[in-house]
Amino acid sequence: MIKKLLILLCFIVMPLYAAAFDKPSFIDSYSGIEFKKLNNKTYLAVYEVTQEQWYKVMNTAPFYFNKGGSYPVESVSIGDIQKFLNTLNSATQSNYRLPTVAEWKEAVGEIKINRDDVCSYANFYDISSNTVNRFGNAYFECDDRFPNTAPVGSFAANSKGYYDLFGNVKEWLCNSENDRTNTCANLLGAANLAVAGGGFSDGPKEMRKVIKDERTSLRYAGLGFRLAVDTASINPNAVSDNINRPNVLAPVTTVPVVPGEENTQNTPPASALDNQRNDVTNNPSQNNQDEPLPERKFKFLPFLRD
């Protein structure tokens, strides 16, 4: 009888708990990650997880571009991210997770951008990156001044207030809508995975893809992540209302760099995820990866047309 009463109480309290948390944005007090309300069920991180935030949680710096500060985390595998989530969720008693593909698409929305303005919008494979990296793929004929990664928030937010959904680093995603609260926070279990968004090493063809990728051990210098959390999974006692705008001009000394020791396990930058062409689109029969860009206007991702 007592067990039944407890179960009934959970069903009553949890919806009230979820409804009680209805802020437009908040800061996770433990990591400093800022979240913005995406819809009635979900909050999405405004920025990609930074190296400083990773160091606050993990006290490690496993990055290929170990620059510290507000530079994005990269070169972390799904196993690394799982440890990050376990540590963060244990400390905050919340249930942070990877965003789903559907949530990422919702955050992106429909985008049209002048081809000549790509380098003022996001950090892609451009003249400066090609000069340094020589990946050999097509690049944009403009210069965003960042040969590799840029501090998060260096470019304008999109219309929904999120930064770097395109460009800078690709992002790991959870390609599952079933029980996302648990599945997408327990990534070494049943979750299907994907990467999306393009990054500093991606030109016109690569940047428009969402690619399924089950290689959970993959560490790639152009691949990072951001977090999401369901409204009902937020511990209101572990958040702050302060605004956390990364200072892109701040000295990058918040993460220690040990010369000769960092990045020993990481792969060097690459121009794309090799041989991964299993695109997660709404129209998988329409393969537009080799379609040339229009002269002036284009949509970043063909699957955003629905």
Side-chain angles (χ1 to χ4, degrees), residues 93-114:
Q93 295 301 298
S94 294
N95 198 22
Y96 296 108
R97 58 176 174 80
L98 282 188
T100 67
V101 171
E103 288 164 347
W104 187 84
K105 291 180 185 180
E106 181 180 353
V108 169
E110 287 271 2
I111 294 179
K112 287 187 177 181
I113 186 170
N114 190 307

Side-chain angles (χ1 to χ4, degrees), residues 117-130:
D117 292 337
V118 168
C119 288
S120 62
Y121 176 82
N123 180 17
F124 286 121
Y125 187 40
D126 62 340
I127 292 173
S128 61
S129 186
N130 182 63

Side-chain angles (χ1 to χ4, degrees), residues 26-35 45-50 52-54 56-57 84 88 92 96 227 238-240 242-246:
F26 71 90
I27 305 292
D28 171 66
S29 301
Y30 188 78
S31 64
I33 297 173
E34 180 181 353
F35 292 84
V46 174
Y47 306 95
E48 293 160 337
V49 174
T50 68
E52 179 178 7
Q53 291 162 350
W54 178 280
K56 283 182 180 178
V57 175
F84 179 88
L88 179 61
T92 62
Y96 296 108
L227 295 183
V239 305
S240 167
N242 295 330
I243 300 299
N244 182 30
R245 301 297 182 198

